[in-house]
Amino acid sequence: MGYDVERFVGYVNEGLLCSVCRCVCEEAVMSPCEHVFCRACISAWLSQHSTCPEDRTHLTHTQLRPLYRYMRNDLMQLQIRCVFHVHGCDVISALESMHTHEAECDYSLLTCRNTGGKYLCYRCGCEVQVCRRDLEAHLSVCEFGSRVCLGPDKDTHTCITELRTELTLFRAECVCKVEELRCEMESRLDSQRRHMVQRENILKNEVEELKAQLSCVMTDVCVLLAAERSRRQDLEKAELEKAELLELLKEGHRQFTTTAGDGPRKAGPRSLTLDCIKRKSKEVTVI
């Protein structure tokens, strides 16, 4: 689990957020596809999956690597509040030095060291938690500071047996807490998984829409190309007809000049043909 974003002062780059828990990365690592995770979060994820939780590409533990230097520097320079700010600590420092402060913070919670003396059972010890700065004052008035074992039978009672019983109960309590944490992690992972599936479906729908639009565009382009080819064929055909008509016109003009010296004649079939050729030539030119 990473650091709660609410603890940070100022802007936090989204590129430094864990893709699993959506908190600022703790012990950050990066995948080959350049997605960033908390080491604990991605380890828990990869124990059940073999893909990146962000884009579903293949991913294993051995492919994880440290952050780029500039990203690590940005992460370490983020300004964060002390984890004990809820108890009154107002220290704000860079992330890289916060662990040192929290280990010595005067507002950190400590459990009273008094167990009732050398022979007092664990269950009879003091369980009060106080701030570090108030511990000495508590120890001076703690009622368990000088007590002796008060078992039900001083002759047969042994603290070791009581301690073993308490240890068994403590282990059972730890197992329950671990199970609760595991269930919570699985719940969060399931939530992230559903979120990723929804994003994947949305992206698939968008891709299908783009494919449909591209298909329509390609169809329109094909229609335009066919129309252009048809237009060019019509133009080429018209040019050929024009050339043929011009040749006929030249031939008719030569024949006309050879017969011009014989005097005026009535318009014969050849003259009519020549007039038709000229009219058709004009029509082709207009086209």
Side-chain angles (χ1 to χ4, degrees), residues 202-271:
I202 291 173
L203 290 175
K204 285 182 178 180
N205 293 334
E206 291 178 353
V207 169
E208 293 298 328
E209 291 178 1
L210 290 175
K211 286 182 178 179
Q213 294 176 5
L214 180 60
S215 176
C216 293
V217 171
M218 293 300 297
T219 301
D220 294 340
V221 170
C222 291
V223 171
L224 291 174
L225 289 176
E228 180 65 17
R229 285 194 297 269
S230 176
R231 189 183 68 84
R232 290 184 178 181
Q233 291 174 357
D234 292 341
L235 288 175
E236 291 175 358
K237 183 177 179 181
E239 289 293 336
L240 291 175
E241 291 180 355
K242 180 180 178 182
E244 292 176 358
L245 291 174
L246 289 174
E247 288 296 327
L248 290 174
L249 183 60
K250 290 179 181 179
E251 181 65 25
H253 180 68
R254 285 195 298 268
Q255 292 178 0
F256 177 77
T257 53
T258 55
T259 58
D262 297 338
R265 296 181 180 180
K266 294 182 179 179
R270 186 179 297 274
S271 298

Side-chain angles (χ1 to χ4, degrees), residues 32-51:
C33 49
E34 299 188 350
H35 294 123
V36 179
F37 316 94
C38 302
R39 184 178 296 277
C41 293
I42 192 62
S43 297
W45 173 271
L46 292 178
S47 65
Q48 300 183 5
H49 307 81
S50 59
T51 58

